[in-house]
Amino acid sequence: MSQSPILRRCVACKKVLDRKCFLKVTRDFQNGVVLSGGMGRSAYLCPTESCFEEALKRKRLQKALRCDIHSSVFNMLQKQLNTCIYSDTEA
Ligand SMILES: [Zn+2]
């Protein structure tokens, strides 16, 4: 029996993929906005330059999390771009 993937939607391009493929940003109820980990409302972003730019320019993460996001969070996100290379051809 194969485990079905947990699907999430990118806040920038709206593509739906396995959540393992995304960078995750969580608005933690104690620590504020964190990358990976944390408890609370989460937003997902493809680890690509184009989705990062889109999210940054249009404040997609701020809208998804309903709060301000410090520029340090975007700096950390930018460092993690291209870390998860996935294939569209794989089922
Ligand atoms: Zn995307």
Side-chain angles (χ1 to χ4, degrees), residues 70-86:
H70 196 264
S71 60
S72 66
V73 173
F74 284 103
N75 289 339
M76 285 189 288
L77 267 177
Q78 193 162 32
K79 283 187 194 128
Q80 290 184 39
L81 296 180
N82 308 312
T83 52
C84 175
I85 306 302
Y86 53 86

Side-chain angles (χ1 to χ4, degrees), residues 10 12-15 22 45-46 48 51:
C10 173
C13 68
K14 309 295 181 195
K15 204 152 65 176
F22 288 125
L45 187 71
C46 303
T48 61
C51 285

Side-chain angles (χ1 to χ4, degrees), residues 9-14 43-46 54-55 60-61 64:
R9 190 187 299 270
C10 173
V11 293
C13 68
K14 309 295 181 195
Y44 295 82
L45 187 71
C46 303
E54 173 79 5
R60 290 289 172 83
L61 290 171

